[in-house]
Amino acid sequence: MPFGSAIQAEYFDDAGYRALFRDHCDIVLPMNELKFDLVHPEREVFAFEPADRLVDFATENGKRSRGHTVVWWNGVPPWLAALNDPREIETELRRHVDAVVGRYAGRLESWDVCNEVVAHEAPYDAPMRDSFWQRALGSRHIPIAFRAVAGADPKAKLVLNDYDLEFRGERYDRRRASIVEIARQLQDAAIRIDAVGIQGHLYADQAVDIEALGRFGEALKRMGIALIVTELDVIDWKISGGPAGQDAAAAKSVGDLLEGVFAAGPPLAVIAWGMTDRHSWVDDVMPHGDGTPSRPLPFDATGRPKHWFRLIEKRLREG
Ligand code: XIL
């Protein structure tokens, strides 16, 4: 089973950073460089160079790669956000997919076609996130995007990716149910969906619901849909006890996630959201209140592997 990680163009010149991906990953993907606003900043301007550099690095080193992401509430470029006509927006979405997914066809084994389309709280009466896409096209933006990506790269696996799918509690049950429902609607419309992406941004202070993850994986498996862990890291902002305490809590979270995810059979891959604590979004967005550096990623800031990275390697070897 492959292990992978997301790499960032802004740190690419750091040879030590690059080496972590070269030495430990089977899959290396651009973290941000294929997001709509970065790769397509103006209506007639595509900025492929940073993504090209990262995908070339992956292939030149014998790695696989994947695409993140087409439809997302975040990263809608201003030129697109300024449009009002639903038909025009739909046309632009298709044009974007043809250009971006088409360009990398055959080189990215899967795409996060839709990212974070479930509402944060996911109430049963309004499970869809209020986003530019939802406002412009309604929930049919999801089938439109899946069909378009399938057309632009017929061999790429199509992934519905979301967060907060692994913890214990009613809100998480609702979010899991919403994902299954969206997948069912795609299939009812005869649209292919190959996998559900569990982002796996793990709050170390929250219990992973191993049983619920198992049921989730089984329900999807019955529909012919696999799981893939797409953005694994550990948010330890509420964990005290210094590095040893943070790493122990992280190992528990990651171990439980693996148990839950593997319950229905091995996932397509386990992918981390970076390799080293030197560079992570967690310290920017969810820092420790007291200034303690967070320890979200498989290798620490000096490049030493955490115990939980060894857990993943072992699990992926064993299947
Ligand atoms: C984050 C990146 O890690 C940051 O570098 C960037 O500034 C913002 O986006 N869920 C997702 C990812 O699907 O795309 C986000 O990545 C993190 C949350």
Side-chain angles (χ1 to χ4, degrees), residues 3-309:
F3 173 77
S5 186
I7 192 165
Q8 293 177 262
E10 59 264 52
Y11 310 123
F12 188 71
D13 290 341
D14 171 349
Y17 174 75
R18 271 199 321 270
L20 287 171
F21 292 83
R22 199 190 51 228
D23 296 346
H24 302 285
C25 293
D26 308 298
I27 299 175
V28 176
L29 72 138
M31 178 181 285
N32 296 306
E33 294 73 6
L34 289 169
K35 289 173 178 174
F36 207 125
D37 57 340
L38 292 184
V39 77
H40 194 171
E42 303 290 342
R43 200 165 186 161
E44 303 306 332
V45 177
F46 291 88
F48 289 121
E49 190 283 321
D52 279 354
R53 192 156 25 115
L54 301 179
V55 174
D56 286 348
F57 169 75
T59 32
E60 280 160 15
N61 285 283
K63 316 292 182 191
R64 296 145 58 176
S65 193
R66 63 186 309 273
H68 176 81
T69 178
V70 177
V71 158
W72 191 26
W73 60 272
N74 202 352
V76 175
W79 68 265
L80 181 59
L83 303 183
N84 293 308
D85 177 4
R87 273 168 316 188
E88 201 181 350
I89 291 168
E90 184 176 336
T91 302
E92 288 302 334
L93 172 56
R94 291 181 200 284
R95 212 168 60 90
H96 172 84
V97 167
D98 287 347
V100 178
V101 176
R103 177 184 181 90
Y104 294 97
R107 301 206 294 157
L108 304 179
E109 64 183 20
S110 60
W111 266 98
D112 295 330
V113 179
C114 290
N115 188 35
E116 305 183 342
V117 294
V118 174
H120 188 67
E121 297 295 335
Y124 283 117
D125 56 350
M128 301 299 300
R129 179 185 289 271
D130 178 32
S131 70
F132 166 77
W133 299 107
Q134 181 71 17
R135 282 192 296 276
L137 302 173
S139 48
R140 71 191 184 93
H141 73 273
I142 300 172
I144 291 170
F146 271 77
R147 253 204 203 107
V149 174
D153 185 357
K155 293 215 176 86
K157 288 203 157 78
L158 309 177
V159 180
L160 176 66
N161 197 45
D162 223 309
Y163 66 97
D164 281 358
L165 297 175
E166 54 281 272
F167 304 111
R168 181 173 305 143
E170 214 213 312
R171 176 175 159 250
Y172 306 100
D173 290 336
R174 286 201 303 271
R175 291 182 58 81
R176 286 184 283 267
S178 296
I179 288 285
V180 173
E181 184 52 32
I182 293 167
R184 198 177 313 272
Q185 285 173 12
L186 285 169
Q187 292 191 332
D188 285 349
I191 294 169
R192 178 163 60 89
I193 161 169
D194 298 292
V196 162
I198 295 181
Q199 288 186 356
H201 296 295
L202 300 179
Y203 293 88
D205 54 300
Q206 285 191 47
V208 168
D209 193 334
I210 298 171
E211 285 73 32
L213 264 179
R215 288 193 299 274
F216 183 57
E218 287 294 343
L220 292 167
K221 190 179 176 181
R222 282 195 295 275
M223 299 165 70
I225 299 171
L227 288 179
I228 173 170
V229 177
T230 50
E231 305 183 15
L232 178 63
D233 56 18
V234 181
I235 299 161
D236 60 15
W237 59 345
K238 307 226 167 110
I239 305 296
S240 49
Q246 289 165 278
D247 290 354
K252 164 80 176 139
S253 291
V254 173
D256 287 353
L257 178 80
L258 292 175
E259 206 174 324
V261 164
F262 274 77
L268 292 182
V270 174
I271 293 172
W273 209 234
M275 282 301 271
T276 157
D277 294 342
R278 267 206 306 285
H279 304 300
S280 165
W281 73 304
V282 171
D283 254 340
D284 297 336
V285 179
M286 285 160 292
H288 263 271
D290 63 4
T292 305
S294 68
R295 298 177 61 83
L297 287 167
F299 289 75
D300 71 12
T302 69
R304 260 197 310 265
K306 314 267 177 70
H307 173 59
W308 66 259
F309 180 61

